[in-house]
Amino acid sequence: MGALDKFAEFIDWYPKGMSKEERHLVYKIDWLVLSFSCIAFFTKNLDVSALTNAYYAGMGDDLHLDGNKLQFATSMYFVGYAIFQIPSNIVLTRLPAEYYLPAFEVMWGLFTLGTAFIKNYEQLLVMRFFVGVTACSCWVGNAHIVNSWYTRQELGKRNAIYGCVYPLGAMFAGYLQSAAYKNLNGAHGMQGWRWLFVVCAIITIPCALIGVFFCPNVPDRTRSRFLTEREKQLCVDRLLKDGFAKTRGIGKGLFKRIFGNWRIYVFFVVGNLFWMTPYPSGLPYGLWLDNQKLANGLDKYSPDMVNNLSTISYAATIVSTMVCGFYSDWRKNRWETILYGGILILICNVLLLVWNVPDGAKFFAFIALGLANGPTNLIVPWLAEFMSHDLEARSTSIAIINVGWVVINCVVPIIAWPIPSAPRFLGGYIWSVAMSVVEIVLLPLPMILERRELKRGINYAQMVIEENGMVSAGLEEKTKGIDEEQSLEVKNEKEVEVKSMAV
């Protein structure tokens, strides 16, 4: 056993009892699925985070972004993002993902590049809208791909890897802006904040090519050159055994399958509450740092120091995301970890609502909200498990719920977190505390409703298993028929060969 295998066993990367053949298959799936998904999501967050970092580094002054103009520019991105997200994920279930997703990545990279050359606020709004339109396929599309390849005991860890990409992209954008401000400010007559968009585009566009070669689409539609025909079949079979159905097609009944079920409504509310209540760890934290003054009235932190300090909460999110993903797989449930995050979110938002606490307590609250972001990444795999019986409905539901988050991101920051009220944001913290209480109260609802279904004899995962003639056995048992059939073919070929030689 190599060092990598020993480490994988130590961290429980593969479920216990998994055969050597299936371990090798999952190893290949990890490289194919997570490589492009993570790189694409990283570059998307790099490009999106660039706006806030550029604002701190002088774009606000150069383009006269006074009042709520930064919020409106951010909202314009989300408008484009929201309009096309649901159609995009529906189309993704029919078109080759290995071409569809990279094509959109190239387009948003070009619009990011265009942002470096804008002259006024109106042009900024146009560019952010089209960045949103072309980036709409990234997070939901890749989340659909990631959650279509793994069993329940694998989803938490893989979603943790995928979830870490968001704070990594945001952190890297902060460091990149700091470097651009120091080393490129004034180069070729361009301000440092403009160079940030140029560098982001240079990173983004070549990364799209990775998807063309590595993105494997979903198991029963994959054309990956890196998987054998036998491996492709085993990918489908192991998911069927775990209650994850194959593609059913879109058809006229798709939205009836989605909206005729309680899952979309419950996860829409619970998911969006958990995604929005840690909001102060982002822009409000950065604006609080930016407003800190020394006794003589000068800024306490330079622009590059504000960028660097604001990444601490993202670092906390990375650690928390990994720990929570592994813990939830080990515990074989998602709600427990999400509950811990909800309690921490409530405590931190209460501290910030009180406000008249030492700066150290404020630092703790902002950083701990970054920690609380980790469990929120489990919302999507939790939804995937509840909707394992319908791939197209699952893909579209992820998009619908994320559109809710986008709409909330367009409206709530402008109303509850207006820039002129920084850094106090009294209305914002009142909203966050109230919603933190609601999310904790609603968290048990999915389990309660599922238990009602089970009492009525409705078990969707078991239906998938029975409809496809699968049994809860190991992969070796499950593919025994395939092995015997292949052995028989080889035996027959040898007999024919012997008879030919005899003739």
Side-chain angles (χ1 to χ4, degrees):
M1 183 181 287
L4 191 61
D5 289 331
K6 289 181 179 178
F7 179 71
E9 187 173 307
F10 174 74
I11 62 174
D12 197 30
W13 187 250
Y14 304 107
K16 287 181 173 60
M18 180 179 282
S19 70
K20 184 177 179 181
E21 182 181 21
E22 190 174 4
R23 285 166 67 103
H24 179 67
L25 175 62
V26 174
Y27 174 80
K28 290 175 74 171
I29 293 171
D30 288 337
W31 278 105
L32 293 173
V33 173
L34 294 178
S35 59
F36 174 66
S37 295
C38 290
I39 289 170
F41 192 27
F42 173 82
T43 55
K44 182 246 183 187
N45 285 304
L46 194 65
D47 296 345
V48 172
S49 301
L51 178 65
T52 301
N53 290 296
Y55 176 83
Y56 294 143
M59 184 179 72
D61 295 329
D62 292 341
L63 299 183
H64 308 293
L65 301 182
D66 50 355
N68 273 340
K69 286 184 177 179
L70 175 63
Q71 301 282 39
F72 283 116
T74 302
S75 295
M76 188 58 69
Y77 161 82
F78 285 119
V79 168
Y81 195 67
I83 291 173
F84 293 96
Q85 196 167 110
I86 296 172
S88 175
N89 245 33
I90 294 175
V91 170
L92 182 60
T93 63
R94 304 265 54 91
L95 295 182
E98 61 269 30
Y99 302 119
Y100 183 82
L101 295 175
F104 274 81
E105 182 166 0
V106 170
M107 287 188 284
W108 91 62
L110 292 173
F111 284 114
T112 299
L113 178 63
T115 309
F117 303 100
I118 58 175
K119 303 298 182 184
N120 53 52
Y121 170 64
E122 289 73 21
Q123 291 176 357
L124 174 64
L125 293 180
V126 172
M127 284 297 174
R128 296 314 290 177
F129 174 78
F130 283 107
V131 169
V133 169
T134 50
C136 72
S137 66
C138 181
W139 184 83
V140 291
N142 284 294
H144 163 63
I145 299 294
V146 170
N147 285 278
S148 295
W149 282 89
Y150 296 105
T151 63
R152 297 169 200 273
Q153 286 184 275
E154 300 162 352
L155 276 174
K157 291 184 276 288
R158 274 66 181 188
N159 275 275
I161 299 292
Y162 185 56
C164 281
V165 176
Y166 168 72
L168 272 174
M171 283 178 65
F172 191 73
Y175 300 140
L176 196 63
Q177 177 57 62
S178 180
Y181 188 81
K182 283 184 177 179
N183 303 312
L184 293 174
N185 191 29
H188 299 284
M190 288 174 60
Q191 299 98 320
W193 66 265
R194 294 183 185 274
W195 277 109
L196 174 62
F197 292 107
V198 173
V199 174
C200 285
I202 291 172
I203 294 171
T204 297
I205 295 173
C207 285
L209 295 176
I210 296 172
V212 176
F213 293 101
F214 290 99
C215 181
N217 208 332
V218 294
D220 57 327
R221 295 180 60 227
T222 184
R223 297 183 297 180
S224 175
R225 68 198 75 182
F226 300 102
L227 296 172
T228 66
E229 291 304 313
R230 172 180 169 80
E231 287 174 331
K232 291 173 184 176
Q233 184 58 49
L234 296 184
C235 288
V236 174
D237 287 349
R238 73 192 208 96
L239 291 169
L240 288 173
K241 184 194 76 168
D242 204 38
F244 284 88
K246 294 189 290 186
T247 179
R248 294 175 56 183
I250 298 175
K252 296 180 179 179
L254 175 62
F255 286 98
K256 183 178 180 181
R257 281 148 48 192
I258 296 170
F259 292 106
N261 194 298
W262 58 262
R263 287 160 174 78
I264 185 65
Y265 305 104
V266 172
F267 278 95
F268 185 91
V269 175
V270 173
N272 282 301
L273 286 174
F274 273 94
W275 285 340
M276 275 304 297
T277 45
Y279 179 81
S281 66
L283 183 62
Y285 173 42
L287 291 173
W288 176 71
L289 291 171
D290 196 40
N291 276 273
Q292 296 300 293
K293 303 292 182 183
L294 296 170
N296 58 9
L298 297 176
D299 290 338
K300 187 174 183 179
Y301 305 113
S302 62
D304 60 313
M305 183 59 73
V306 170
N307 277 318
N308 291 337
L309 287 175
S310 64
T311 63
I312 297 175
S313 64
Y314 294 123
T317 299
I318 293 171
V319 174
S320 174
T321 299
M322 292 301 296
V323 171
C324 292
F326 278 72
Y327 178 79
S328 69
D329 275 358
W330 175 65
R331 293 288 294 166
K332 297 182 181 179
N333 74 63
R334 313 295 174 201
W335 70 266
E336 183 181 326
T337 314
I338 297 172
L339 175 61
Y340 296 153
I343 293 171
L344 184 57
I345 291 170
L346 177 59
I347 293 170
C348 294
N349 280 320
V350 168
L351 269 176
L352 293 171
L353 175 60
V354 174
W355 195 253
N356 292 320
V357 295
D359 283 352
K362 290 192 183 78
F363 263 115
F364 165 79
F366 286 123
I367 304 306
L369 281 171
L371 279 173
N373 259 319
T376 66
N377 286 295
L378 296 172
I379 295 292
V380 172
W382 201 22
L383 170 65
E385 291 166 352
F386 270 96
M387 301 195 70
S388 63
H389 58 285
D390 195 330
L391 184 144
E392 284 79 13
R394 181 171 72 242
S395 173
T396 309
S397 295
I398 292 173
I400 291 171
I401 292 170
N402 198 55
V403 166
W405 176 79
V406 170
V407 172
I408 292 170
N409 252 322
C410 287
V411 177
V412 172
I414 293 173
I415 297 173
W417 309 90
I419 298 295
S421 67
R424 180 63 183 93
F425 291 123
L426 177 61
Y429 292 122
I430 291 174
W431 179 86
S432 290
V433 168
M435 294 302 101
S436 298
V437 173
V438 174
E439 70 189 10
I440 293 173
V441 171
L442 293 180
L443 183 61
L445 200 53
M447 287 87 73
I448 294 171
L449 293 174
E450 185 186 41
R451 284 171 187 166
R452 283 188 182 179
E453 283 184 341
L454 293 174
K455 286 181 180 179
R456 290 160 51 200
I458 301 172
N459 188 331
Y460 288 110
Q462 190 61 36
M463 288 178 189
V464 171
I465 294 170
E466 292 173 357
E467 285 172 4
N468 290 276
M470 309 303 291
V471 292
S472 297
L475 187 64
E476 291 175 334
E477 263 186 69
K478 190 174 59 183
T479 59
K480 187 177 178 182
I482 298 174
D483 292 334
E484 289 175 350
E485 186 179 339
Q486 290 179 342
S487 298
L488 185 60
E489 287 176 2
V490 172
K491 183 180 177 181
N492 291 337
E493 286 174 4
K494 287 182 177 179
E495 287 177 358
V496 171
E497 185 178 347
V498 170
K499 289 178 181 178
S500 299
M501 290 174 66
V503 172

